[in-house]
Amino acid sequence: MSETTPLDALETRDPAEREAALLAALPAQIAHAQARTAAFGEILAGIDATAITSRAALAGLPVTRKGELLERQKARRAQDAMGGFAAIGWRGQLVTRGARRVFQSPGPIYEPEGSGADYWRLARAMRAAGFAADELIHNSFSYHLTPAGSMMETAAHALGCAVFPGGVGNTELQLQAIAELRPQAYAGTPSFLKILVEKAAETGASIASITKALVSGEAFPPSLRDWLRERGIEGYQCYATADVGLIAYETAARQGLVIDEGVIVEIVRPGTGDPVPEGEVGEVVVTTLNRDYPLIRFGTGDLSAILPGPCPTGRTAPRIRGWLGRADQTTKVRGMFVHPSQVAEVLRRHPEALRARLVVEGEMASDRMGLWVEVPADAPASLAEALAGSVRDVTKLRAEVKLVAPGSLPNDGKVISDERSLA
């Protein structure tokens, strides 16, 4: 069996079987979130969990974005540092038991870790990258404050690997450890791996034992992947967050990222909770089946798109294109903040409008807005004026409206494009 073969039979099951299993688990997870977390008790108040048995029904629930999670945590810190989102905790919290670790991400946002094996589910990504039992993994993700170090370590242990907790910095000491311990694999950011390779070449330290890597936390462009390959290291990327753990991972096919088995992923139009058609770029929204931290329709703020067809490796879960940018394109125009949700509200008022992009041009001191809107050929001539009126109503700003044919706007997930010069 190849080391990059799927971790278990879940990865190769019939897609209809997977979808049925995920949707069958959804009502219980929603009911659990409502009953065991104060935040989702409020956010999902009045929702009949037993009725959420389809993606269409799921799409009717509100999206909770990272900014809202942070604000709820800040508002409730005196009683519950987790803001009512966690079903586990420790003494002194509203939820008093079950947490093994707690982390602090920038914001600060606090995230819990429970006691389950491979808690963040990254073992699938490590297996796809070729990691195998009894190997030593050099883990250069941070072990303090943020969960990245623990995410990789718990996955490595689940595969039966040993781990060297290198953490960040101390390049010379880490190179010494690699030369003397001879690990087979690296986990960490791609940029630090590049630093290690370059420093090893400069100093003569041997890191030849490392032949594979699982990288995350940063963009991993093909140019860097090829640069590492030329130096004997086959690098793979995974997409994970401190909130929901693994979302998707790269395989030997190098054709997008395969969605993890423990999450339900939707791609929605930025600023809304409305799913977009397959292939269209939008915001990644994740519902996790983690009972300890049951985030329902969590908006990651990241852009991606669903790829058609299955992975050539035999894994049958849907694939995404990878990280394509940030979904929060809020910008300031003439002293007023303009949000993607406001562009979405303008479209909602005009069913004839299909897609839109708000373009901000000019200079910072004398900027102007234009709304480009895709409309069908038979759209009424008066639609442009009506749209302009809605823009004024919603944003309190004026915009010139330009009607364009369907498919004219780029498929890059941008709802607001700030094209102003800084002059």
Side-chain angles (χ1 to χ4, degrees):
M1 177 185 294
S2 168
E3 293 172 351
T4 58
T5 55
L7 183 67
D8 55 35
L10 293 179
E11 294 184 34
T12 56
R13 57 185 161 166
D14 183 270
E17 179 186 346
R18 174 184 295 104
E19 185 74 355
L22 291 173
L23 294 177
L26 192 53
Q29 181 72 344
I30 291 171
H32 173 76
Q34 289 172 313
R36 297 295 299 275
T37 71
F40 282 108
E42 295 176 9
I43 293 169
L44 302 179
I47 299 295
D48 177 8
T50 64
I52 311 302
T53 58
S54 67
R55 286 187 178 261
L58 178 62
L61 302 183
V63 173
T64 298
R65 293 186 165 85
K66 191 181 287 282
E68 181 183 350
L69 186 149
L70 173 60
E71 290 308 311
R72 282 180 175 266
Q73 284 199 358
K74 286 181 176 179
R76 303 183 185 203
R77 291 256 160 91
Q79 299 81 31
D80 180 3
M82 310 304 295
F85 284 98
I88 57 173
W90 56 92
R91 187 179 300 175
Q93 292 283 102
L94 291 180
V95 182
T96 60
R97 59 174 62 95
R100 180 169 61 180
R101 296 186 181 95
V102 61
F103 297 99
Q104 183 195 77
S105 294
I109 293 176
Y110 295 103
E111 301 101 2
E113 179 182 282
S115 57
D118 189 22
Y119 187 78
W120 308 88
R121 307 180 315 283
L122 268 81
R124 293 191 190 282
M126 284 190 167
R127 171 60 66 82
F131 292 29
D134 301 321
E135 292 182 328
L136 175 62
I137 313 304
H138 187 99
N139 185 7
S140 284
F141 271 118
S142 174
Y143 274 81
H144 70 281
L145 294 181
T146 62
S150 182
M151 293 168 84
M152 289 293 182
E153 180 167 288
T154 51
H157 288 165
L159 287 181
C161 300
V163 176
F164 177 77
V168 296
N170 300 306
T171 305
E172 291 79 7
L173 287 176
Q174 295 212 40
L175 283 175
Q176 180 182 357
I178 293 171
E180 296 176 350
L181 296 174
R182 298 181 296 281
Q184 287 80 19
Y186 166 93
T189 63
S191 61
F192 190 65
L193 177 56
K194 186 173 188 288
I195 289 172
L196 289 174
V197 172
E198 291 175 333
K199 191 69 172 180
E202 176 187 324
T203 62
S206 175
I207 60 171
S209 64
I210 295 180
T211 60
K212 50 201 169 188
L214 180 64
V215 300
S216 193
E218 300 170 346
F220 185 46
S223 58
L224 180 52
R225 179 197 65 199
D226 295 343
W227 186 89
L228 290 170
R229 181 181 289 151
E230 291 169 1
R231 288 153 181 81
I233 300 173
E234 196 68 35
Y236 293 81
Q237 61 183 313
C238 70
Y239 170 34
T241 75
D243 313 282
V244 298
L246 181 66
I247 298 173
Y249 57 97
E250 192 172 25
T251 73
R254 304 291 189 181
Q255 296 181 20
L257 306 182
V258 176
I259 293 175
D260 180 56
E261 299 293 326
V263 292
I264 298 173
V265 170
E266 303 168 90
I267 306 294
V268 308
R269 187 157 286 113
T272 78
D274 304 331
V276 299
E278 182 180 285
E280 185 172 326
V281 176
E283 182 183 6
V284 178
V285 169
V286 181
T287 296
T288 174
L289 299 181
N290 181 350
R291 304 278 285 179
D292 296 341
Y293 202 42
L295 297 180
I296 308 298
R297 297 204 88 201
F298 178 74
T300 63
D302 296 322
L303 293 174
S304 194
I306 297 291
L307 287 172
C311 179
T313 64
R315 293 170 174 88
T316 56
R319 296 171 298 152
I320 59 175
R321 284 176 55 187
W323 187 81
L324 300 177
R326 293 294 294 169
D328 186 3
Q329 300 148 25
T330 297
T331 191
K332 207 170 192 178
V333 181
R334 285 171 251 155
M336 302 280 287
F337 281 107
V338 181
H339 306 273
S341 58
Q342 292 175 304
V343 178
E345 173 59 26
V346 170
L347 288 185
R348 268 193 290 270
R349 297 184 179 195
H350 303 277
E352 311 97 320
L354 305 175
R355 295 172 63 218
R357 171 177 297 203
L358 191 69
V359 179
V360 187
E361 298 176 299
E363 298 178 358
M364 287 297 182
S366 57
D367 38 37
R368 58 187 182 275
M369 295 196 320
L371 185 69
W372 294 55
V373 187
E374 291 184 0
V375 298
D378 59 354
S382 59
L383 182 57
E385 184 178 348
L387 283 161
S390 293
V391 172
R392 287 195 302 274
D393 185 34
V394 172
T395 69
K396 313 307 178 190
L397 296 165
R398 293 181 179 275
E400 179 182 350
V401 174
K402 183 174 182 179
L403 304 182
V404 298
S408 299
L409 298 178
N411 180 23
D412 56 9
K414 281 192 177 182
V415 174
I416 299 176
S417 181
D418 191 342
E419 300 176 6
R420 292 172 291 191
S421 71
L422 297 177

